[in-house]
PDB file of all heavy atoms in Angstrom:
ATOM      1  N   HIS P 297      23.772   6.895  -4.382  1.00  0.00           N
ATOM      2  CA  HIS P 297      22.332   6.734  -4.813  1.00  0.00           C
ATOM      3  C   HIS P 297      21.536   5.892  -3.687  1.00  0.00           C
ATOM      4  O   HIS P 297      20.682   5.095  -4.029  1.00  0.00           O
ATOM      5  CB  HIS P 297      22.266   5.949  -6.109  1.00  0.00           C
ATOM      6  CG  HIS P 297      22.878   6.741  -7.236  1.00  0.00           C
ATOM      7  ND1 HIS P 297      22.196   7.794  -7.896  1.00  0.00           N
ATOM      8  CD2 HIS P 297      24.055   6.544  -7.897  1.00  0.00           C
ATOM      9  CE1 HIS P 297      22.996   8.257  -8.876  1.00  0.00           C
ATOM     10  NE2 HIS P 297      24.085   7.498  -8.867  1.00  0.00           N
ATOM     11  N   THR P 298      21.809   6.283  -2.454  1.00  0.00           N
ATOM     12  CA  THR P 298      21.094   5.598  -1.377  1.00  0.00           C
ATOM     13  C   THR P 298      20.102   6.559  -0.757  1.00  0.00           C
ATOM     14  O   THR P 298      20.066   7.763  -0.998  1.00  0.00           O
ATOM     15  CB  THR P 298      22.213   5.258  -0.198  1.00  0.00           C
ATOM     16  OG1 THR P 298      22.669   6.440   0.286  1.00  0.00           O
ATOM     17  CG2 THR P 298      23.241   4.406  -0.739  1.00  0.00           C
ATOM     18  N   PHE P 299      19.351   6.021   0.141  1.00  0.00           N
ATOM     19  CA  PHE P 299      18.296   6.809   0.899  1.00  0.00           C
ATOM     20  C   PHE P 299      18.886   7.989   1.710  1.00  0.00           C
ATOM     21  O   PHE P 299      18.339   9.067   1.702  1.00  0.00           O
ATOM     22  CB  PHE P 299      17.405   5.910   1.788  1.00  0.00           C
ATOM     23  CG  PHE P 299      16.358   6.583   2.442  1.00  0.00           C
ATOM     24  CD1 PHE P 299      15.165   7.015   1.632  1.00  0.00           C
ATOM     25  CD2 PHE P 299      16.217   6.780   3.757  1.00  0.00           C
ATOM     26  CE1 PHE P 299      14.189   7.620   2.218  1.00  0.00           C
ATOM     27  CE2 PHE P 299      15.204   7.417   4.414  1.00  0.00           C
ATOM     28  CZ  PHE P 299      14.121   7.790   3.700  1.00  0.00           C
ATOM     29  N   ASP P 300      20.084   7.676   2.364  1.00  0.00           N
ATOM     30  CA  ASP P 300      20.798   8.745   3.017  1.00  0.00           C
ATOM     31  C   ASP P 300      21.130   9.859   2.183  1.00  0.00           C
ATOM     32  O   ASP P 300      21.107  11.028   2.530  1.00  0.00           O
ATOM     33  CB  ASP P 300      21.979   8.131   3.825  1.00  0.00           C
ATOM     34  CG  ASP P 300      21.569   7.382   5.044  1.00  0.00           C
ATOM     35  OD1 ASP P 300      20.451   7.437   5.425  1.00  0.00           O
ATOM     36  OD2 ASP P 300      22.470   6.712   5.625  1.00  0.00           O
ATOM     37  N   ASP P 301      21.588   9.613   0.903  1.00  0.00           N
ATOM     38  CA  ASP P 301      22.001  10.613  -0.004  1.00  0.00           C
ATOM     39  C   ASP P 301      20.772  11.495  -0.339  1.00  0.00           C
ATOM     40  O   ASP P 301      20.816  12.716  -0.547  1.00  0.00           O
ATOM     41  CB  ASP P 301      22.643   9.993  -1.161  1.00  0.00           C
ATOM     42  CG  ASP P 301      23.961   9.172  -0.936  1.00  0.00           C
ATOM     43  OD1 ASP P 301      24.827   9.783  -0.178  1.00  0.00           O
ATOM     44  OD2 ASP P 301      24.090   8.063  -1.451  1.00  0.00           O
ATOM     45  N   PHE P 302      19.635  10.807  -0.602  1.00  0.00           N
ATOM     46  CA  PHE P 302      18.512  11.544  -0.863  1.00  0.00           C
ATOM     47  C   PHE P 302      17.975  12.512   0.264  1.00  0.00           C
ATOM     48  O   PHE P 302      17.722  13.613   0.004  1.00  0.00           O
ATOM     49  CB  PHE P 302      17.278  10.510  -1.169  1.00  0.00           C
ATOM     50  CG  PHE P 302      15.904  11.048  -1.314  1.00  0.00           C
ATOM     51  CD1 PHE P 302      15.672  12.075  -2.323  1.00  0.00           C
ATOM     52  CD2 PHE P 302      14.950  10.794  -0.421  1.00  0.00           C
ATOM     53  CE1 PHE P 302      14.396  12.621  -2.398  1.00  0.00           C
ATOM     54  CE2 PHE P 302      13.621  11.381  -0.462  1.00  0.00           C
ATOM     55  CZ  PHE P 302      13.368  12.290  -1.447  1.00  0.00           C
ATOM     56  N   LEU P 303      18.057  11.961   1.492  1.00  0.00           N
ATOM     57  CA  LEU P 303      17.682  12.816   2.614  1.00  0.00           C
ATOM     58  C   LEU P 303      18.631  13.972   2.746  1.00  0.00           C
ATOM     59  O   LEU P 303      18.236  15.091   3.138  1.00  0.00           O
ATOM     60  CB  LEU P 303      17.682  11.902   3.880  1.00  0.00           C
ATOM     61  CG  LEU P 303      16.533  10.957   4.186  1.00  0.00           C
ATOM     62  CD1 LEU P 303      16.785  10.271   5.512  1.00  0.00           C
ATOM     63  CD2 LEU P 303      15.245  11.670   4.187  1.00  0.00           C
ATOM     64  N   ALA P 304      19.908  13.774   2.469  1.00  0.00           N
ATOM     65  CA  ALA P 304      20.874  14.952   2.608  1.00  0.00           C
ATOM     66  C   ALA P 304      20.800  15.846   1.416  1.00  0.00           C
ATOM     67  O   ALA P 304      21.535  16.887   1.463  1.00  0.00           O
ATOM     68  CB  ALA P 304      22.244  14.325   2.711  1.00  0.00           C
ATOM     69  N   GLY P 305      20.071  15.441   0.344  1.00  0.00           N
ATOM     70  CA  GLY P 305      19.964  16.309  -0.823  1.00  0.00           C
ATOM     71  C   GLY P 305      21.161  16.247  -1.677  1.00  0.00           C
ATOM     72  O   GLY P 305      21.607  17.232  -2.443  1.00  0.00           O
ATOM     73  N   GLY P 306      21.978  15.138  -1.526  1.00  0.00           N
ATOM     74  CA  GLY P 306      23.225  15.140  -2.182  1.00  0.00           C
ATOM     75  C   GLY P 306      23.408  13.831  -3.035  1.00  0.00           C
ATOM     76  O   GLY P 306      24.495  13.250  -3.045  1.00  0.00           O
ATOM     77  N   GLU P 307      22.325  13.425  -3.784  1.00  0.00           N
ATOM     78  CA  GLU P 307      22.486  12.240  -4.660  1.00  0.00           C
ATOM     79  C   GLU P 307      23.499  12.535  -5.791  1.00  0.00           C
ATOM     80  O   GLU P 307      23.596  13.673  -6.308  1.00  0.00           O
ATOM     81  CB  GLU P 307      21.075  11.914  -5.274  1.00  0.00           C
ATOM     82  CG  GLU P 307      20.203  11.132  -4.235  1.00  0.00           C
ATOM     83  CD  GLU P 307      18.906  10.605  -4.907  1.00  0.00           C
ATOM     84  OE1 GLU P 307      18.889   9.535  -5.429  1.00  0.00           O
ATOM     85  OE2 GLU P 307      17.934  11.452  -4.963  1.00  0.00           O
ATOM     86  N   ALA P 308      24.172  11.544  -6.152  1.00  0.00           N
ATOM     87  CA  ALA P 308      25.185  11.666  -7.167  1.00  0.00           C
ATOM     88  C   ALA P 308      24.524  11.869  -8.640  1.00  0.00           C
ATOM     89  O   ALA P 308      23.427  11.292  -8.768  1.00  0.00           O
ATOM     90  CB  ALA P 308      26.113  10.488  -7.249  1.00  0.00           C
ATOM     91  N   PRO P 309      25.020  12.784  -9.468  1.00  0.00           N
ATOM     92  CA  PRO P 309      24.450  12.894 -10.819  1.00  0.00           C
ATOM     93  C   PRO P 309      24.747  11.765 -11.623  1.00  0.00           C
ATOM     94  O   PRO P 309      25.541  10.923 -11.444  1.00  0.00           O
ATOM     95  CB  PRO P 309      25.089  14.202 -11.302  1.00  0.00           C
ATOM     96  CG  PRO P 309      26.362  14.239 -10.588  1.00  0.00           C
ATOM     97  CD  PRO P 309      26.160  13.647  -9.253  1.00  0.00           C
ATOM     98  N   GLY P 310      24.067  11.734 -12.851  1.00  0.00           N
ATOM     99  CA  GLY P 310      24.516  10.879 -13.922  1.00  0.00           C
ATOM    100  C   GLY P 310      23.657   9.599 -13.973  1.00  0.00           C
ATOM    101  O   GLY P 310      23.797   8.856 -14.899  1.00  0.00           O
ATOM    102  N   GLU P 311      22.703   9.406 -13.094  1.00  0.00           N
ATOM    103  CA  GLU P 311      21.824   8.209 -13.113  1.00  0.00           C
ATOM    104  C   GLU P 311      20.398   8.669 -13.276  1.00  0.00           C
ATOM    105  O   GLU P 311      19.794   9.402 -12.341  1.00  0.00           O
ATOM    106  CB  GLU P 311      21.995   7.359 -11.968  1.00  0.00           C
ATOM    107  CG  GLU P 311      21.206   6.041 -11.892  1.00  0.00           C
ATOM    108  CD  GLU P 311      21.550   5.159 -10.725  1.00  0.00           C
ATOM    109  OE1 GLU P 311      22.714   4.765 -10.536  1.00  0.00           O
ATOM    110  OE2 GLU P 311      20.582   4.880  -9.988  1.00  0.00           O
ATOM    111  N   PRO P 312      19.674   8.382 -14.375  1.00  0.00           N
ATOM    112  CA  PRO P 312      18.224   8.882 -14.564  1.00  0.00           C
ATOM    113  C   PRO P 312      17.400   8.173 -13.486  1.00  0.00           C
ATOM    114  O   PRO P 312      17.649   7.104 -13.088  1.00  0.00           O
ATOM    115  CB  PRO P 312      17.960   8.318 -15.942  1.00  0.00           C
ATOM    116  CG  PRO P 312      18.890   7.163 -16.256  1.00  0.00           C
ATOM    117  CD  PRO P 312      20.170   7.538 -15.494  1.00  0.00           C
ATOM    118  N   LEU P 313      16.324   8.917 -13.204  1.00  0.00           N
ATOM    119  CA  LEU P 313      15.383   8.464 -12.186  1.00  0.00           C
ATOM    120  C   LEU P 313      14.610   7.332 -12.771  1.00  0.00           C
ATOM    121  O   LEU P 313      13.991   7.501 -13.809  1.00  0.00           O
ATOM    122  CB  LEU P 313      14.520   9.583 -11.676  1.00  0.00           C
ATOM    123  CG  LEU P 313      13.492   9.236 -10.579  1.00  0.00           C
ATOM    124  CD1 LEU P 313      14.180   9.068  -9.317  1.00  0.00           C
ATOM    125  CD2 LEU P 313      12.437  10.413 -10.399  1.00  0.00           C
TER     126      LEU P 313
END
Side-chain angles (χ1 to χ4, degrees):
H297 296 286
T298 67
F299 185 67
D300 284 350
D301 297 317
F302 170 64
L303 283 182
E307 285 188 90
E311 187 174 296
L313 183 70

